[in-house]
Amino acid sequence: MTTTAASVEWCCACCPSSRRRNSSSRSSSSDNRRRNNRRGSSSISSSSSSSSSSSSSSSTTSKTNSRKSDKTPPPPPSPSPNSPNSQTPFVKVDARVFIVGAGVGTGSIQNLTIRAANILKSADVVIYDDLGVDSEETLSLCGQKCKKIYVGKRGGRAEKNTSQAEINSLLVELSASGRYKHVVRLKGGDPTIFGRLGNEIEALKRAKIKYEIVPGVSSLVASAAAVGMPLTETMRGGKHFACISGHDAKTNPDAFRDLADVDTVVVFMGGKNIASVVDALLMNPTFGSEQAAATTKSRGSKATASSKRTKSTPCAVVRDVDGAKEKRWLGTLGDIVEKTEGEKLSPCVFIVGEICKSATLHERNVYL
């Protein structure tokens, strides 16, 4: 039987040729596996070395960071006392004036704010107004070396009243002298309400002297509190109020006409001429003299027709609020002059408007 190469090549597995081929194939596969294993080992070893170098690097970094964190950074420098970011509000600074409201009440510091008290404690010089019957309790807060200068204005006192021009000059002189670093201008109540503040700050501005205004408890709010009423509300037509000087009743009656549509009017310094103030509020033709007549003519007949106030409009008068001579009256524009007749009303606050219907003459514990 004739056999070809192809038949020999595909002979059964028991054939010697086939065994030789299979053996050669197995050895070739083993060689390939060994080569692959060697390559794998080399790759693993390279990876291990890379990973160990990476962990070593990370370990070094963490140690460095640890050493850095051990060093506590120095605290930020504290601001100087004169720095704008300083948290100490009452430091002494060059050429500085504090215009301070002492609050209301005679002979007592119960309405003096904590801030005002702290400023007084560090004052070098205090220029003060008439704070009532006895100002000693308030002034006792000042240091022993503090210089105190009285410049009050009040009728009936033996001392000569100091003019506003003199006060302005004194403020500038003391502040610019360099002898006093902390100058305090002490006023009763709140300095921003009928306290002649504008004159003094203009003088300081012209002299390029820094100043600061420290508010106080005003007789405006203290008087409303004394008769247990608000100054604004929606129930009794108290959406707005206006303040006016009682002196205007005679000198500038036109100012009262401008308040005809204001719900509530608060009159300061009207105790001595309360009858004229009532006439001005009612827009009676008797209150205005020739100036009022001229104004009425220029505005026409409607000048008096739009007033919200009549003789039945409720009102309240509070004298020396929170002070030793405090007294309160409730009434209407038709009878308040009679109710206060013969009384010395100054200093007082006169509140007029429908909102006064909620006012009461309740018992008050002024000095707790």
Side-chain angles (χ1 to χ4, degrees), residues 58-71:
S58 156
S59 167
T60 305
T61 305
S62 70
K63 284 178 184 176
T64 304
N65 288 340
S66 172
R67 281 196 300 272
K68 283 183 182 176
S69 65
D70 288 342
K71 294 181 181 178

Side-chain angles (χ1 to χ4, degrees), residues 134-150:
D134 185 6
S135 305
E136 291 304 315
E137 191 173 0
T138 301
L139 295 174
S140 66
L141 294 171
C142 303
Q144 292 182 352
K145 295 183 180 180
C146 177
K147 184 176 181 179
K148 306 174 188 72
I149 304 173
Y150 174 75

